Amino acid sequence: KYMNEIVCESMIEKCFKMKETLNLDYTKCIEEASNKYKILADLDEENPVALLGLGQCCFMKKDFNLAKEHLKKSSKLVSTCMYTWIYLTKTLVKLHKNLEAETSAKHALKLPVNQDGGNLNRNQIKMSLAEAMSNSRSSEMRKKSIAICQRLLDEEPGLRQDIYVILITTYCSLGDTDEADKLLQELTMTDSTDTPHIVPYLKSLVLIQTENYKEALESVENALSVSLDDRSCVHFTRGLILSRLQRVDESFQCFLQAAKLDPYYSDTFHCLGKYYMDTAHDLIKARRCFQKSFDLDSTNAESGARLGDVLYSLGEEDAALNLYLSVTKTTDPANAQWAWLRLGLFQNERQNYAEAIHCFQYALRADANNHCLWECLGEAYYNRGSHTAGLKSFTRAAELDPDCTYCMYHVAAINQVLGKYREAIQYYESLLEKCDYTPALKGACISAGFR
């Protein structure tokens, strides 16, 4: 057992230092190491070296779920091994488990630098941390990713190309095309042999932000013609471009291909669900895709909202209700606005007005300037008979969206109910100046009569 540990540890060092490309020597190294790890695991199934090695091999073979299982066990047995945290963090990034990857990386960065290549290892962890933050749905987290990358450019020039890739994709996701294009031009001028492979893909991301879809399509198709380690993102991006060009059937095929290559990416299944829902009108398949998308990433609010809407359309109202209740009980209001809104609409429809008001108030905590939420809150108050509170809510909604006919009419109508006929007439007349709205004309006449 002890001799096997020594052999395995040396092979871990060897595999870790080799360039991650599927050349013959690298593949042979992984296979040899895998056999040794299995022997060691047979001797002791809780041996941290064996678990690390098996996790590393699974990572290289792209069996990320099994890699995560082995590496988490190893990290619990020996929490101070940097290699374990490096591969665990990378695995979590591949699984798009960004919050878990962030936690793993931050734990690793607390470890003392006492190994050969310690600084390089720490910078690799920082790279993975930056990548996880870059993939976050939070713009604040993406901005933090940029800050990490900018510091890494000074600390580790050898990682310059990888850092540029993260920076360009992050700037694109934030809509900063000027900075993304500037870095892309700098990357194009580097001498790295990998640069010609990645540049067409990155260029397509920049062109998407400028809505130059035809050139973006040409660029992303150039990316498919070269050898890239991760082709799933290229197929996904091509699908997005084709959907913007209204070539939805072709985009659907791209999303299918992306899902086969990377079955862990929530957004791919979301796009498949949208196709089945909006184009194929197959709500059963749409539900499966949105469910898969939401299971992969519970922070994907759009998938959660679509899932609830599909369930409701299918007549599975109890399932939709359980979804909303589950999310609102376990998720911070800032990330569960969609669920609070739909739960409120659900309660309002069933005349549970007190519960509906509670839900809309929680939804407003995430976005106090959302006129739709104020409108929903106003309607719930009005339905309950709380006219003064309803008036305040509809007034706020009308302030946020002065063109909203529905809100302005209710402001006028509630003023009329409260006996404020002068105010009611002013709102009715203002509304009639914008459009020929018969209820407003009727209300104005009645209010004028009372006045």
Side-chain angles (χ1 to χ4, degrees):
K1 174 183 170 183
Y2 177 69
M3 290 302 297
N4 272 298
E5 283 191 6
I6 295 174
V7 172
C8 287
E9 285 177 340
S10 67
M11 297 192 79
I12 289 173
E13 293 279 353
K14 181 180 177 182
C15 291
F16 185 81
K17 291 178 180 178
M18 291 183 70
K19 189 178 181 181
E20 292 187 14
T21 56
L22 294 179
N23 56 56
L24 181 60
D25 291 338
Y26 186 72
T27 304
K28 284 176 64 177
C29 174
I30 293 299
E31 289 302 322
E32 290 174 11
S34 181
N35 292 333
K36 293 294 183 183
Y37 299 141
K38 288 175 183 176
I39 292 172
L40 189 57
D42 288 340
L43 294 170
D44 180 2
E45 63 181 15
E46 291 194 349
N47 187 294
V49 176
L51 291 167
L52 166 57
L54 289 171
Q56 187 184 42
C57 288
C58 290
F59 177 87
M60 300 306 171
K61 294 175 181 178
K62 299 188 177 182
D63 187 350
F64 300 121
N65 278 324
L66 190 55
K68 175 184 173 183
E69 182 182 334
H70 289 313
L71 293 166
K72 278 204 164 185
K73 287 181 181 178
S74 181
S75 68
K76 289 178 181 178
L77 292 167
V78 179
S79 62
T80 56
C81 179
M82 179 65 80
Y83 287 149
T84 302
W85 292 105
I86 287 174
Y87 270 93
L88 178 56
T89 305
K90 286 184 176 181
T91 298
L92 292 168
V93 169
K94 289 292 185 183
L95 288 169
H96 306 283
K97 301 296 184 184
N98 300 312
L99 289 176
E100 290 183 57
E102 181 185 345
T103 300
S104 176
K106 288 180 177 179
H107 179 94
L109 291 172
K110 294 177 182 178
L111 298 177
V113 183
N114 57 3
Q115 303 178 37
D116 292 338
N119 287 327
L120 176 60
N121 292 338
R122 288 175 65 82
N123 286 336
Q124 287 181 343
I125 284 286
K126 290 177 184 178
M127 282 280 293
S128 294
L129 176 59
E131 187 175 357
M133 289 180 166
S134 172
N135 295 332
S136 170
R137 300 187 188 280
S138 164
S139 59
E140 290 303 314
M141 296 303 290
R142 294 198 292 271
K143 290 175 183 177
K144 288 182 180 181
S145 170
I146 290 173
I148 293 172
C149 287
Q150 289 172 338
R151 289 194 296 269
L152 277 172
L153 283 173
D154 297 327
E155 297 173 10
E156 195 59 59
L159 297 174
R160 189 177 187 83
Q161 176 175 303
D162 293 334
I163 295 169
Y164 266 43
V165 170
I166 297 175
L167 281 171
I168 292 168
T169 55
T170 308
Y171 277 122
C172 283
S173 70
L174 290 170
D176 190 344
T177 53
D178 291 338
E179 193 63 31
D181 190 55
K182 174 186 172 184
L183 292 173
L184 181 61
Q185 297 307 317
E186 292 180 15
L187 181 62
T188 305
M189 297 173 66
T190 62
D191 297 328
S192 172
T193 55
D194 293 332
T195 300
H197 297 167
I198 193 65
V199 164
Y201 167 66
L202 295 173
K203 183 179 179 182
S204 71
L205 298 182
V206 176
L207 290 168
I208 288 172
Q209 295 300 314
T210 59
E211 299 185 1
N212 196 339
Y213 300 125
K214 289 185 178 179
E215 282 190 39
L217 181 60
E218 181 180 344
S219 189
V220 81
E221 287 176 347
N222 288 337
L224 282 172
S225 67
V226 298
S227 175
L228 283 173
D229 182 49
D230 185 3
R231 298 175 68 84
S232 62
C233 61
V234 184
H235 284 288
F236 177 78
T237 302
R238 183 170 182 265
L240 288 180
I241 296 168
L242 288 168
S243 66
R244 305 280 174 85
L245 293 171
Q246 304 302 314
R247 293 159 62 176
V248 290
D249 290 332
E250 292 175 75
S251 71
F252 172 68
Q253 295 300 323
C254 292
F255 294 137
L256 282 179
Q257 187 64 30
K260 290 178 182 177
L261 294 171
D262 183 1
Y264 312 110
Y265 189 38
S266 172
D267 287 9
T268 302
F269 292 95
H270 175 78
C271 291
L272 288 170
K274 285 174 64 177
Y275 174 86
Y276 284 123
M277 185 176 183
D278 301 333
T279 303
H281 304 296
D282 188 334
L283 295 184
I284 299 297
K285 289 184 178 178
R287 179 188 62 187
R288 291 173 185 165
C289 290
F290 290 132
Q291 184 71 66
K292 174 74 170 177
S293 176
F294 193 66
D295 288 343
L296 287 170
D297 182 4
S298 60
T299 68
N300 192 334
E302 194 173 350
S303 283
R306 287 261 189 167
L307 175 59
D309 294 344
V310 169
L311 289 170
Y312 205 82
S313 297
L314 288 169
E316 300 180 29
E317 296 180 7
D318 288 343
L321 177 61
N322 289 334
L323 171 67
Y324 304 146
L325 290 173
S326 174
V327 173
T328 53
K329 286 178 181 178
T330 59
T331 308
D332 185 88
N335 299 318
Q337 183 192 77
W338 65 270
W340 282 112
L341 169 60
R342 282 162 175 77
L343 182 57
L345 293 172
F346 187 97
Q347 301 289 12
N348 194 49
E349 186 177 322
R350 280 151 186 76
Q351 300 181 1
N352 299 324
Y353 302 127
E355 290 86 346
I357 290 167
H358 172 78
C359 293
F360 295 137
Q361 287 173 335
Y362 261 92
L364 280 165
R365 291 185 182 184
D367 184 4
N369 294 318
N370 188 314
H371 81 274
C372 291
L373 293 175
W374 282 107
E375 179 183 313
C376 291
L377 180 60
E379 187 168 349
Y381 275 128
Y382 181 79
N383 290 337
R384 192 179 70 171
S386 302
H387 294 130
T388 302
L391 177 61
K392 290 179 180 178
S393 298
F394 276 118
T395 301
R396 179 57 179 154
E399 290 172 353
L400 293 169
D401 183 10
D403 295 327
C404 181
T405 301
Y406 185 82
C407 291
M408 288 192 66
Y409 171 74
H410 272 80
V411 170
I414 295 174
N415 272 307
Q416 181 181 331
V417 170
L418 293 174
K420 300 178 180 180
Y421 301 116
R422 188 180 301 278
E423 291 87 345
I425 290 173
Q426 288 176 349
Y427 274 100
Y428 282 134
E429 289 178 343
S430 177
L431 188 56
L432 287 168
E433 288 174 3
K434 296 181 179 181
C435 62
D436 184 13
Y437 193 56
T438 303
L441 181 59
K442 180 180 177 182
C445 293
I446 294 173
S447 298
F450 277 108
R451 188 180 65 175

